[in-house]
Amino acid sequence: MAKIKRIGVLTSGGDAPGMNAAIRAVTRMAIYHGLEVYGIRSGYHGMINDQIKKLESSHVSNIIQRGGTILKTARSAEFRTVEGRSQAFVNLQKHKIDALVIIGGDGSLTGARLFSDEHDIPCVGIPGTIDNDLFGTDYTIGYDTAINTVVEAVDKIRDTASAHNRLFFVEVMGRDAGFIALRSGIACGAEAILVPERDTPYPKLKKYLETGFVNKKTSGIVIVAEGEHQGGAYEIANKVQEDFSQYDVKVTVLGHIQRGGSPSAYDRVTASHMGAAAVDALLDDQKSVMIGIVNNKIVHVPFNKTIKAHKGLNEELLKISEILSI
Ligand code: F6P
């Protein structure tokens, strides 16, 4: 294989705190090895529209602590087409870019797999999503910060819930996965956690509320993952209000606050580790793999595996969450 000389780096899909730390690590690790680095703006959209600029070490100074992504991000419909991907490849050739690092979630890595299959260019992925839903890695960049954001918000909600004797339904992100809900719910001492991976039938939820909130507690928090199957926090809260008319039921949807903010130390270190490992992997002639972290060790997961396989929730944590909320 020809030796790699120029790496392109991009962030794609939903932004996640720690993406900047990953861009910094990729850039500096590549420069350390004598490679040139090109930043591709706005994800695959910028690859198609030739928004490609050389990155120097100084361009990534003072960004490790910043949320969002200095490269910007986008979800590109055009990159889902063969024509879009061909145009993107033409632009990479124009800049003599011979390898890519893609920082993003499931959709971004699916795009990377198609792209590297169609155009013979090595691509390595770095899992960047607050959802933590990628198979083959214990953590994705942004997940830890998002959980801490949820915990901080719910702690505040609990103060007012307790002052007014209210029951709050707090909806958190995660797309169709319940990782954010489960971990933040345990950290907040939630009375119940509703996740898409395991249905909590309405009678069961009612029972939780009767044994806990109604009988012993004066206030309560139920964490609802946005992807759960009963229609979301508002729908469930309305039903509960009908059945427990004596209680004051409120809903908070935390929304995009979960995507922003300065990354936690954990996310910065994970992003730095993964970013450096991505460059190492390319120099080691690897392609079509995602960098993961399992038991604190770097692993290389083939795109096919991480895209197709489904990561399950930690059953032990699920069980503990039920026991501890009685
Ligand atoms: O994948 C990250 C995520 O924040 C999900 O949790 C959420 O469902 C989705 O992105 C929201 O996307 P958008 O910002 O495009 O509305």
Side-chain angles (χ1 to χ4, degrees):
M1 177 183 273
K3 201 174 164 326
I4 289 169
K5 293 195 185 77
R6 280 189 186 181
I7 291 182
V9 58
L10 62 100
T11 48
S12 163
D15 60 318
M19 279 183 162
N20 281 326
I23 295 167
R24 172 180 175 270
V26 169
T27 305
R28 293 207 167 150
M29 191 65 168
I31 290 172
Y32 171 80
H33 282 291
L35 309 177
E36 289 186 6
V37 191
Y38 281 74
I40 302 166
R41 226 174 132 84
S42 301
Y44 295 125
H45 175 78
M47 214 155 113
I48 294 170
N49 294 290
D50 197 15
Q51 295 173 260
I52 302 175
K53 290 240 162 63
K54 191 170 176 199
L55 287 176
E56 308 291 354
S57 184
S58 62
H59 291 134
V60 295
S61 291
N62 205 13
I63 64 167
I64 195 168
Q65 77 281 17
R66 282 165 56 191
T69 155
I70 59 156
L71 288 177
K72 308 260 181 191
T73 185
R75 302 188 199 279
S76 168
E78 222 182 328
F79 197 73
R80 294 201 193 106
T81 67
V82 177
E83 297 75 24
R85 293 192 292 273
S86 295
Q87 180 56 44
F89 187 62
V90 168
N91 289 331
L92 292 188
Q93 282 181 313
K94 191 168 120 190
H95 294 277
K96 298 195 169 56
I97 292 171
D98 39 30
L100 275 183
V101 175
I102 300 98
I103 307 165
D106 193 40
S108 310
L109 300 188
T110 304
R113 183 182 62 90
L114 281 171
F115 190 65
S116 65
D117 284 354
E118 286 167 4
H119 307 280
D120 190 23
I121 178 161
C123 292
V124 167
I126 296 180
T129 165
I130 62 165
D131 300 338
N132 195 34
D133 57 347
L134 285 166
F135 181 87
T137 185
D138 291 343
Y139 284 97
T140 58
I141 295 168
Y143 177 52
D144 185 65
T145 308
I147 291 169
N148 285 314
T149 302
V150 172
V151 170
E152 200 186 327
V154 174
D155 285 351
K156 288 177 180 165
I157 291 170
R158 206 180 258 290
D159 288 344
T160 178
S162 165
H164 283 269
N165 291 349
R166 282 173 169 163
L167 173 60
F168 269 83
F169 287 79
V170 181
E171 187 173 295
V172 299
M173 279 187 168
R175 203 179 290 275
D176 50 10
F179 294 96
I180 296 177
L182 177 61
R183 216 167 174 83
S184 62
I186 291 178
C188 296
E191 274 54 46
I193 303 170
L194 308 182
V195 290
E197 289 83 349
R198 186 211 45 190
D199 280 338
T200 305
Y202 184 64
K204 195 171 168 191
L205 172 65
K206 253 180 91 177
K207 202 152 161 253
Y208 283 152
L209 297 176
E210 275 157 1
T211 53
F213 179 59
V214 178
N215 293 340
K216 295 177 235 144
K217 302 178 182 179
T218 54
S219 65
I221 302 281
V222 177
I223 300 285
V224 184
E226 66 175 345
E228 72 75 47
H229 302 136
Q230 295 182 64
Y234 278 103
E235 187 87 12
I236 302 166
N238 284 341
K239 263 200 234 165
V240 169
Q241 182 69 87
E242 277 168 26
D243 289 330
F244 299 100
S245 57
Q246 70 277 36
Y247 291 99
D248 196 358
V249 176
K250 295 278 173 186
V251 176
T252 301
V253 177
L254 290 182
H256 286 79
I257 191 174
Q258 295 160 92
R259 286 242 294 265
S262 178
S264 66
Y266 188 87
D267 272 329
R268 296 180 199 191
V269 174
T270 305
S272 301
H273 201 176
M274 287 180 168
V279 175
D280 279 345
L282 285 172
L283 289 173
D284 201 26
D285 285 348
Q286 301 226 30
K287 51 164 128 172
S288 298
V289 292
M290 178 193 80
I291 304 297
I293 287 202
V294 175
N295 297 329
N296 284 323
K297 293 231 153 42
I298 291 288
V299 293
H300 301 105
V301 194
F303 281 162
N304 276 344
K305 211 165 168 191
T306 193
I307 288 159
K308 287 195 189 126
H310 182 75
K311 181 158 100 180
L313 282 185
N314 183 328
E315 289 293 327
E316 211 173 304
L317 282 187
L318 269 173
K319 201 166 155 209
I320 288 171
S321 76
E322 288 185 12
I323 296 170
L324 299 187
S325 64
I326 53 176

